[in-house]
Amino acid sequence: MEVNPLESTKLANRAFGEENRARLLADYFSEVGDVGPETAWMHVYKLLLSIDRTIGLAHCYESDKCQPGRPWYARSLAFHDWVSGALGVAPSELGTEIDWLFKRASADLASYALRAGHSEKVRQQRRPYQGRAFPEPGDDPELMSIVLDGLRPWLNSMPPATAQRVLAERIMAYLTHENKRKNLIGEGFEDTLAAILRRVPGISDAYTIHTRAMLHNLPGFHRGPVNEKPRQVDLALVRKSDQQRTLITAKWSVRADREEQFMSDFRDYARVNFGGEAFRYVLVTNEFDAARLVRACDRRAENSLLLTDVVHVNPNGPKVAYADVSPASKNKCVDMRRHIESRRLSSLDDWLQRLVSDH
DNA sequence: TGTACAGAGTGCCGTATATT
DNA sequence: AATATACGGCACTCTGTACA
């Protein structure tokens, strides 16, 4: 396929886009090689787990509920402790081990922005005002006075204006980039799972792996009414031996207002499923809230369970978080434990192993 | 080339529920 | 009944993509 140079630079500018994510994941996994089912969760966390800056701990719940003194602070501490241990690093070093994908994409974004800031176009735009000491992009006197006033006793000279500008830009990038994380984690989670599925020995031999495939391009689904928008599936596996289909919805977290999607998506899928074969419908998630996990496990469509499998990146996380049970959440916690013991709520490890052995 | 749109996660914050 | 905790709706920020 021909790629014209203009087009390819444009694509390269989408730091969080599909192409760059794929490039970054290929880069990460080139050092890893094959992925054993039991290590899959570590790669998910190294790539995607992040530190909640407001508390300095691994992020496992909405930040307002994680503040010191609130119930999820204790759970965040417990999770942080467990996950550092499991990844073999000191709690103080966890931050450097995780969040790989975002750190890399974010660095790419910054360098694209830097390049754009020094482009010929920018020079042209500023040309009419040359020589009039117009503010440079990134100048932020208020921010700099906070920094410099705070450090005044230890400074023996004033940093030059360019150094101040660079510092201000870095601080602003640090603050604003955080908001972009969610844009990466959505499809990034799907891509990460797909990358792992492709590298677990036995799986790609036995299944065709589709990311964000159009539903009607998967075997056994037809296109649906013309006036209806064609449906996409986060992730799908088609077993080569008998064309058994597994539709996967990947959600890093599951908020209540998104839970409804499970049912509506399922109905949309079922409506265009032809032939007698049932498809499998699987949730893969990193949700930590026991109630949300239990609801996903128990949810029914007509007379049977809606989700064939509910898979958690590593259920030990929520288990550890809920180790000291506050009275208010005791029941939910018991239910969650029951689902984990019975494997209704299974680990990524278990699920991958079952895929290998079920081929 | 610019604009609208859909879709992601989740922060904010009022309300409901559970426990004492 | 009072208090602590959980739930849940809305809105926000930001992205990539489709379309005019």
Side-chain angles (χ1 to χ4, degrees):
Chain A
M1 202 205 311
E2 294 261 341
V3 179
N4 87 47
L6 187 81
E7 195 65 16
S8 70
T9 52
K10 265 169 77 182
L11 284 173
N13 280 327
R14 292 172 200 146
F16 293 173
E18 187 168 2
E19 185 172 322
N20 201 41
R21 290 196 310 267
R23 190 180 66 84
L24 293 173
L25 282 169
D27 193 12
Y28 174 91
F29 280 108
S30 69
E31 317 233 319
V32 172
D34 281 356
V35 174
E38 70 288 349
T39 64
W41 72 271
M42 292 192 191
H43 297 303
V44 174
Y45 279 173
K46 283 184 179 177
L47 283 161
L48 296 172
L49 185 67
S50 64
I51 297 287
D52 181 331
R53 269 192 211 152
T54 65
I55 51 171
L57 301 172
H59 178 277
C60 64
Y61 210 63
E62 284 97 280
S63 78
D64 58 327
K65 299 159 178 90
C66 290
Q67 294 309 303
R70 309 217 64 191
W72 280 90
Y73 188 59
R75 291 175 192 151
S76 298
L77 285 163
F79 172 58
H80 188 99
D81 184 35
W82 169 80
V83 77
S84 326
L87 292 176
V89 287
S92 56
E93 296 303 307
L94 180 63
T96 63
E97 284 291 306
I98 58 177
D99 208 16
W100 194 93
L101 204 55
F102 180 75
K103 283 176 189 160
R104 291 288 299 266
S106 188
D108 289 344
L109 187 69
S111 78
Y112 300 152
L114 191 69
R115 227 179 296 158
H118 291 85
S119 67
E120 182 51 36
K121 183 163 188 182
V122 173
R123 270 192 289 278
Q124 248 175 48
Q125 288 172 321
R126 289 182 61 90
R127 192 157 296 142
Y129 311 95
Q130 222 166 20
R132 296 176 51 198
F134 259 63
E136 294 285 336
D139 275 346
D140 190 337
E142 209 172 329
L143 175 61
M144 283 326 294
S145 73
I146 293 172
V147 172
L148 295 174
D149 288 352
L151 296 176
R152 179 99 47 211
W154 299 277
L155 289 177
N156 44 23
S157 69
M158 198 57 115
T162 47
Q164 292 190 30
R165 195 173 303 130
V166 169
L167 179 58
E169 276 181 327
R170 288 194 60 183
I171 293 173
M172 289 314 290
Y174 179 73
L175 296 174
T176 57
H177 277 34
E178 190 58 30
N179 276 338
K180 305 175 202 294
R181 158 168 279 107
K182 23 189 173 288
N183 301 112
L184 188 73
I185 206 151
E187 293 194 343
F189 188 33
E190 298 164 16
D191 292 339
T192 297
L193 290 172
I196 287 171
L197 285 164
R198 292 200 179 93
R199 287 171 176 80
V200 173
I203 289 188
S204 57
D205 300 329
Y207 302 85
T208 327
I209 302 159
H210 303 264
T211 42
R212 292 179 291 280
M214 299 312 297
L215 190 59
H216 61 254
N217 289 335
L218 299 173
F221 294 101
H222 60 67
R223 197 172 271 273
V226 276
N227 56 348
E228 219 167 275
K229 188 178 134 202
R231 298 300 311 253
Q232 245 186 9
V233 188
D234 290 352
L235 206 53
L237 295 174
V238 178
R239 189 157 65 186
K240 290 178 181 171
S241 61
D242 61 355
Q243 301 287 95
Q244 181 208 64
R245 300 148 303 159
T246 302
L247 306 184
I248 301 160
T249 172
K251 292 194 186 303
W252 188 251
S253 72
V254 187
R255 286 289 286 273
D257 42 348
R258 307 262 170 206
E259 278 179 37
E260 296 311 314
Q261 280 180 8
F262 296 147
M263 189 63 83
S264 66
D265 285 350
F266 174 76
R267 289 201 197 288
D268 290 346
Y269 299 158
R271 200 141 25 99
V272 293
N273 184 32
F274 66 84
E277 284 302 312
F279 56 89
R280 301 165 65 86
Y281 188 34
V282 172
L283 167 67
V284 184
T285 186
N286 189 50
E287 176 60 54
F288 268 65
D289 183 292
R292 295 173 191 167
L293 289 169
V294 168
R295 274 200 300 276
C297 291
D298 291 342
R299 176 155 286 205
R300 287 171 180 274
E302 315 301 332
N303 196 35
S304 57
L305 292 172
L306 174 64
L307 292 157
T308 320
D309 289 295
V310 180
V311 182
H312 195 280
V313 172
N314 190 331
N316 286 326
K319 235 159 103 175
V320 164
Y322 278 89
D324 98 275
V325 205
S326 79
S329 54
K330 184 152 195 165
N331 286 333
K332 287 298 166 195
C333 179
V334 167
D335 290 348
M336 181 182 75
R337 288 232 184 80
R338 186 168 45 78
H339 282 312
I340 294 173
E341 299 318 320
S342 72
R343 308 270 170 107
R344 169 64 184 146
L345 178 56
S346 64
S347 64
L348 188 53
D349 178 6
D350 262 359
W351 182 63
L352 291 170
Q353 293 203 30
R354 259 183 289 143
L355 285 176
V356 175
S357 59
D358 282 358
H359 67 89

